[in-house]
Amino acid sequence: GGRVFSIMDEGSVSSILLPSKWRLIARDAFNGLRLWDREIPEWHSRVFSLKSGPATLPRRLATDGKLVFVTLGINAPVSILDAATGKTLRELAIPGYPREILLVDDMVLVVAASEKMYTGNQKPMYRHSIYAFDKNGKKLWQHRAELCLLTLAADSRNVYFYNYSEIVALNRKSGRKVWSTPVSKLKSVLSQDAPIVVVYKNTVLFAEPQYGRME
C-alpha cells in the first residue's frame, strides 16, 4: 500500500546505558516521510549481543497493505492495526505468548507458546500451538504441536512445520493433519540456528544449517 513498516529503537545512542524507546513506525515507501508511529513499551533488551537477539522478532510484524498485524510488546497479544492510520482495530484472542505471525491469502497464522513445561533442571519451556484466524479476527482452528520455531510455512492448500523429526502438513482450512514425513532428527534448536522450511508449488524444502543438509 505504498508504506514501509518497521520496529525501531529510537533511544539515545550517546550511551548504551540509556533506556530504549521502541516504536512501530510507518513511513512513505517513496520518500521515507514518517506517517505514524506506535509506542512499544517493552521489547527485547538492547544490551544483547549484536544481531544475536531472538530470531523470531522479525516474524512479529506482517502486513497485507491494508492491515498491520503486530505484537506491541514482547509478550503482548497480536494487534490488528489500520495500515493508513495506525489505529488499533482489534486484537486476536490467543491464550498464550505470540511468537510468529504469517499471512497467507485471507488467513492469519500465529504461533504461540501456550503451555509451560519444565525440564529436569526446572528450566521453563513451552509447548506451542498454531492458531488460524480470518482477517476480521475470527478464530478458525487451533493445532497443538511440538513445533520448532521459525519453521512455519504455508501455501494455498496446507500449513507446514517441523516437529524436530518430521515435516507435518495440516489442511489450511480445517487444521487437520494431511501427512507427515521423516527428516533429520534434532533434539533441540536455538532460534538463530533453526532449520528452514520453504514451500514452492508442489515441493517442500527442508534445510538443516547445523550439518549442511537439505531434504
Side-chain angles (χ1 to χ4, degrees), residues 26-42:
R27 295 184 181 274
D28 187 289
F30 174 72
N31 56 27
L33 180 68
R34 192 177 188 124
L35 302 175
W36 55 261
D37 61 74
R38 292 288 302 272
E39 180 184 7
I40 298 179
E42 184 182 9

Side-chain angles (χ1 to χ4, degrees), residues 3 5 36 65-68 80-89:
R3 307 177 188 92
F5 305 93
W36 55 261
K66 296 181 180 180
L67 300 172
V68 176
I80 304 177
L81 313 182
D82 183 287
T85 65
K87 179 183 178 181
T88 299
L89 302 177

Side-chain angles (χ1 to χ4, degrees), residues 135-171:
K135 291 185 178 179
N136 292 319
K138 179 183 177 181
K139 181 180 173 180
L140 304 175
W141 51 263
Q142 174 186 353
H143 180 84
R144 292 182 176 88
E146 291 288 340
L147 178 144
C148 179
L149 291 174
L150 298 174
T151 64
L152 186 70
D155 58 18
S156 60
R157 297 178 301 173
N158 296 323
V159 176
Y160 310 88
F161 64 92
Y162 173 60
N163 68 0
Y164 296 100
S165 62
E166 299 174 312
I167 295 294
V168 180
L170 308 177
N171 181 277

Side-chain angles (χ1 to χ4, degrees), residues 16-88:
I16 198 170
L17 300 177
L18 296 174
S20 295
K21 293 182 180 179
W22 292 100
R23 306 194 76 83
L24 168 65
I25 302 171
R27 295 184 181 274
D28 187 289
F30 174 72
N31 56 27
L33 180 68
R34 192 177 188 124
L35 302 175
W36 55 261
D37 61 74
R38 292 288 302 272
E39 180 184 7
I40 298 179
E42 184 182 9
W43 204 237
H44 194 261
S45 172
R46 68 197 177 283
V47 296
F48 207 83
S49 299
L50 179 63
K51 297 182 180 179
S52 297
T56 56
L57 290 184
R59 295 183 72 147
R60 301 277 203 98
L61 175 61
T63 183
D64 64 358
K66 296 181 180 180
L67 300 172
V68 176
F69 302 82
V70 63
T71 55
L72 292 172
I74 196 69
N75 286 320
V78 176
S79 296
I80 304 177
L81 313 182
D82 183 287
T85 65
K87 179 183 178 181
T88 299

